[in-house]
Amino acid sequence: MEIFLIDGIGPFFIEYIKTKKKVNWSKIPFHHLSKEAECCVRQFAEIADNLEIFAQKVSKVGYNGITFDDVAHLTPDKWLEPEINRTVRMYGEQYQKLFTICSRYGLDVYLTMDILSLTPKLKEQINGNFQRIREFIQRQLETVLHAYPEVRGIILRIGECDGRDVRGDFKSELVLRRAKQANSLLRAVLPIFERYQRYLILRNWTVGAYPIGDFLWHRSTISRVLEDIESPWFILSLKYGESDFFRYLPLNTSFFQLKVKKIIELQARREYEGAGEYPSFIGWDYQEYARQLEQANNMVGISVWCQTGGWLPFRRLTYLEEAGFWNELNSFVCIKLFKEKLEVEQAVASFADSTGCHDPVALLELLRLSDEVIKDLLYIKEMARQKLFFRRVRIPPLLSVFWNNIFINHSVRKVLRTLVVSGENCVESGYRSLEKIEKMEVLAKKLALPADDIRYMYDTFAILALAREYYFSPYDNGIKKRISKAKKKYKKKYPKGSRPRYRVKTNFTPFAVKRSHLQWLFYLLLRRKRGYRVLDHLLTLRFLAIIFRGMVVLRPKLIPKFGRKHAMGIDTLFK
């Protein structure tokens, strides 16, 4: 392996997060950057100061590449509005200063790029014509590679676009809908990269939209996208599993089946596991992936997300404040496992030495307990181990907790009781995990680590343990009262305006669907194998999409606000 990337968006968020309750961590908030020259220079001067700190730290750890958003905001074009071109040129001058800092610390620059980021005028110029889309992207790439020799590569993201809350001059949309289109685009732009001898890195994470939506795991789709793509300057970037950054996911088999150069994506700031608000150690999982990848051909690097990911109120900045400790620990271990081939125990000992920790054995024990608690209480093990597919996506192994939301309601109860047989064991293992968190707190105090983080973890996970009683024990009004009381106590201890907290969303209204009907519905809609059934082609991929679109028009409020307003919206699953 020779490429060790880490995302560099953190310095752009320092001022932005001071005014926002919930933050979209998927991309730099460009709308927050001023279009007025003097103010813009001041903003970038602060960004540069913080990038200096960030670059120095990550290069010292061992990273040799840094990723920034994005190509659209650095490439003027004749099809763009004149005022946007002026802004883009101004940003380009400021980014040049950032690239200089990166070069000083031996960090190659990689720019991200959505296919395709549009403005009103650009959308009018392209007018849905694929030939014009391809022509515009070719010009974009030629412009950015010519203007910035520091840029070592471009990371193209397909199958996913900007969330619904993204504002600004550009907003990306899903314009590549079929494997044939993606393959055609790659063939058209790859010669540009070969001429400049820069890397074209294709990110294939998708959210299941359109026929290309199963690109992450479907062999036929992947092979059609990559047909005849052979170049030393092409790299495929894959998340480690067939879903997002969750636990309980086996390594994606595409790492072993594909001949092209490949990078594995890892997440140090665990967006579904507290985002660094408490320890969520991933060392042993990633060590297993590293061992397996020794048998894969053409593995050329890793891409670690130390800040990117999620729509969250949690706002700890990795490598820019002391509060980023747990994320920095994960980032450190990632690079040691994959670059230096260390064991977890060696990597943790090295981290302890670099941070002045006097007892690496105690630190390792704390992290072992963290790993067990996350797997045994945040996740419901029996549910998480199931391989379930709906339409073009693999169902996440974490259902009752998503980002900073804890769902305690009758519908979740009924779903989990349908999928989980050993409910009693789940309740017992949940309370055993709370005892482990208490041990973690003792160890944290002994090591002079942030014990308040462990206490916050205990308070949050105590609600998860209580929720398991509601999910899996015979129902009575007493559990509802205990949950309501615990929720009020939690909100009082962590009020709005203080430490960002989880939102406990309760609803004890009976879910009208009987469990027997739910089992039948799951049989129709879910499958346990990757391949599509005839039923999927007839029902879930086609007819169900029509029904959903009709429901959105006639009864839009049937979809919870969480599914309508966040990220790309749940309706993306049905495109």
Side-chain angles (χ1 to χ4, degrees):
M1 290 190 181
E2 60 189 53
I3 299 173
F4 301 94
L5 303 179
I6 193 163
D7 64 297
I9 70 170
F12 288 83
F13 278 85
I14 291 177
E15 286 301 316
Y16 180 71
I17 60 177
K18 293 178 181 178
T19 60
K20 298 294 177 181
K21 292 181 180 178
K22 183 167 285 192
V23 179
N24 174 3
W25 292 99
S26 66
K27 183 181 286 188
I28 288 170
F30 285 101
H31 67 277
H32 181 66
L33 298 176
S34 177
K35 297 180 183 180
E36 191 274 316
E38 187 175 342
C39 182
C40 181
V41 170
R42 285 200 303 270
Q43 285 179 317
F44 270 91
E46 184 175 353
I47 291 167
D49 288 343
N50 287 289
L51 179 62
E52 187 94 29
I53 297 168
F54 183 89
Q56 188 271 334
K57 289 183 178 180
V58 299
S59 62
K60 184 178 180 180
V61 169
Y63 291 94
N64 61 12
I66 188 168
T67 63
F68 291 114
D69 306 322
D70 70 346
V71 168
H73 288 84
L74 293 175
T75 49
D77 190 85
K78 62 184 179 182
W79 286 357
L80 297 176
E81 293 85 342
E83 63 275 14
I84 291 179
N85 277 330
R86 285 193 295 271
T87 301
V88 164
R89 290 189 181 96
M90 181 174 63
Y91 288 167
E93 293 175 4
Q94 301 307 314
Y95 262 81
Q96 186 67 68
K97 300 173 186 176
L98 305 184
F99 296 162
T100 300
I101 293 172
C102 295
S103 297
R104 191 158 64 242
Y105 289 98
L107 295 170
D108 291 331
V109 173
Y110 291 78
L111 293 177
T112 65
M113 178 179 179
D114 277 355
I115 307 295
L116 177 68
S117 295
L118 298 168
T119 69
K121 183 180 178 183
L122 179 58
K123 195 168 186 175
E124 185 179 309
Q125 287 280 354
I126 288 175
N127 196 27
N129 185 297
F130 184 71
Q131 178 61 39
R132 292 176 75 79
I133 289 173
R134 192 166 55 186
E135 177 188 340
F136 174 73
I137 292 173
Q138 286 175 309
R139 283 206 309 273
Q140 267 192 314
L141 293 170
E142 184 79 45
T143 297
V144 75
L145 294 178
H146 177 75
Y148 303 105
E150 302 90 345
V151 173
R152 185 63 175 151
I154 304 294
I155 302 171
L156 273 68
R157 181 174 75 162
I158 65 172
E160 190 173 0
C161 64
D162 285 332
R164 296 190 169 180
D165 64 329
V166 171
R167 296 182 285 118
D169 293 330
F170 293 92
K171 187 160 185 175
S172 63
E173 297 182 10
L174 298 174
V175 297
L176 296 182
R177 301 183 177 185
R178 291 175 172 75
K180 185 177 180 180
Q181 290 177 318
N183 179 261
S184 173
L185 179 65
L186 290 177
R187 290 191 191 197
V189 302
L190 194 51
I192 301 173
F193 289 87
E194 292 172 332
R195 189 168 70 254
Y196 282 94
Q197 296 191 334
R198 318 280 183 87
Y199 285 116
L200 163 57
I201 301 178
L202 178 67
R203 288 196 68 208
N204 77 335
W205 165 239
T206 66
V207 290
Y210 303 113
I212 201 173
D214 55 12
F215 184 22
L216 184 61
W217 53 267
H218 199 283
R219 296 175 187 176
S220 175
T221 304
I222 295 171
S223 63
R224 282 182 281 127
V225 170
L226 301 182
E227 185 178 359
D228 296 329
I229 302 298
E230 297 178 5
S231 172
W233 299 103
F234 177 80
I235 299 173
L236 181 64
S237 182
L238 292 165
K239 291 190 178 182
Y240 55 75
E242 295 175 337
S243 184
D244 211 344
F245 292 117
F246 296 101
R247 311 266 179 152
Y248 290 101
L249 294 174
L251 191 61
N252 195 322
T253 56
S254 293
F255 286 112
F256 307 97
Q257 296 164 350
L258 300 175
K259 296 179 181 179
V260 298
K261 290 181 177 180
K262 296 170 289 289
I263 279 175
I264 183 170
E265 296 181 27
L266 309 165
Q267 192 175 55
R269 173 188 169 275
R270 305 288 294 174
E271 64 178 284
Y272 301 105
E273 300 168 9
E277 291 292 317
Y278 48 78
S280 179
F281 186 63
I282 42 70
W284 285 284
D285 283 8
Y286 286 0
Q287 177 177 265
E288 179 58 28
Y289 294 150
R291 286 174 177 171
Q292 292 181 39
L293 287 174
E294 290 177 2
Q295 308 303 316
N297 294 322
N298 265 339
M299 287 300 304
V300 297
I302 63 175
S303 179
V304 175
W305 301 106
C306 71
Q307 197 69 56
T308 302
W311 275 253
L312 295 158
F314 305 139
R315 56 198 63 221
R316 299 198 175 194
L317 294 169
T318 313
Y319 291 113
L320 293 171
E321 59 176 350
E322 290 184 7
F325 178 85
W326 305 115
N327 296 334
E328 291 169 24
L329 192 158
N330 276 343
S331 301
F332 184 96
V333 169
C334 284
I335 196 77
K336 298 303 176 183
L337 292 175
F338 285 86
K339 187 176 186 179
E340 299 181 23
K341 309 295 183 183
L342 299 186
E343 298 289 311
V344 167
E345 292 75 14
Q346 295 172 309
V348 171
S350 179
F351 180 82
D353 182 62
S354 69
T355 56
C357 176
H358 62 278
D359 193 344
V361 175
L363 176 59
L364 188 69
E365 175 65 8
L366 187 155
L367 298 177
R368 181 187 64 80
L369 292 169
S370 160
D371 180 72
E372 292 175 0
V373 169
I374 296 294
K375 290 176 178 174
D376 291 343
L377 183 47
L378 185 66
Y379 291 81
I380 296 172
K381 189 179 295 186
E382 185 180 338
M383 162 62 209
R385 285 176 170 168
Q386 297 183 47
K387 183 169 69 174
L388 297 170
F389 290 84
F390 172 68
R391 286 176 57 85
R392 304 185 189 95
V393 299
R394 179 165 177 161
I395 301 294
L398 186 60
L399 289 182
S400 56
V401 183
F402 201 84
W403 285 328
N404 68 308
N405 299 286
I406 298 173
F407 298 102
I408 307 176
N409 58 57
H410 198 252
S411 58
V412 170
R413 181 179 191 267
K414 194 159 282 189
V415 167
L416 290 175
R417 289 171 74 88
T418 303
L419 295 174
V420 175
V421 175
S422 57
E424 260 186 47
N425 292 337
C426 287
V427 175
E428 292 173 5
S429 68
Y431 283 109
R432 285 197 301 270
S433 292
L434 292 181
E435 295 173 4
K436 293 179 181 180
I437 301 177
E438 289 178 330
K439 293 178 182 177
M440 289 170 62
E441 188 174 5
V442 172
L443 288 167
K445 290 176 179 177
K446 176 184 176 182
L447 294 165
L449 295 178
D452 286 348
D453 293 350
I454 315 296
R455 175 46 50 181
Y456 174 71
M457 184 181 192
Y458 183 93
D459 292 339
T460 302
F461 280 50
I463 291 178
L464 297 180
L466 195 57
R468 286 195 179 186
E469 282 195 63
Y470 170 71
Y471 298 147
F472 300 117
S473 299
Y475 180 75
D476 65 73
N477 283 327
I479 186 63
K480 183 174 75 171
K481 291 177 181 177
R482 288 166 60 202
I483 289 172
S484 298
K485 184 178 179 180
K487 177 180 176 179
K488 288 179 182 177
K489 183 178 178 182
Y490 185 77
K491 290 177 71 174
K492 184 177 181 180
K493 187 169 183 178
Y494 303 105
K496 291 182 179 179
S498 62
R499 179 188 184 124
R501 59 178 174 83
Y502 279 85
R503 295 181 63 190
V504 183
K505 299 190 172 185
T506 55
N507 185 346
F508 302 107
T509 304
F511 186 53
V513 181
K514 293 182 179 179
R515 200 193 310 179
S516 58
H517 294 165
L518 199 59
Q519 289 173 327
W520 176 77
L521 197 62
F522 283 173
Y523 173 78
L524 286 178
L525 301 182
L526 304 182
R527 63 188 189 280
R528 295 186 179 271
K529 294 183 179 180
R530 295 177 183 84
Y532 298 112
R533 306 163 297 178
V534 173
L535 183 63
D536 294 306
H537 288 289
L538 295 176
L539 177 63
T540 61
L541 291 174
R542 297 182 183 180
F543 186 59
L544 192 61
I546 297 171
I547 292 175
F548 183 85
R549 287 196 292 270
M551 184 183 73
V552 169
V553 173
L554 297 175
R555 301 286 298 277
K557 291 190 177 179
L558 281 178
I559 305 168
K561 185 178 178 181
F562 177 82
R564 285 183 279 123
K565 301 293 185 180
H566 288 78
M568 296 168 62
I570 198 171
D571 59 300
T572 305
L573 288 172
F574 296 89
K575 290 183 177 179

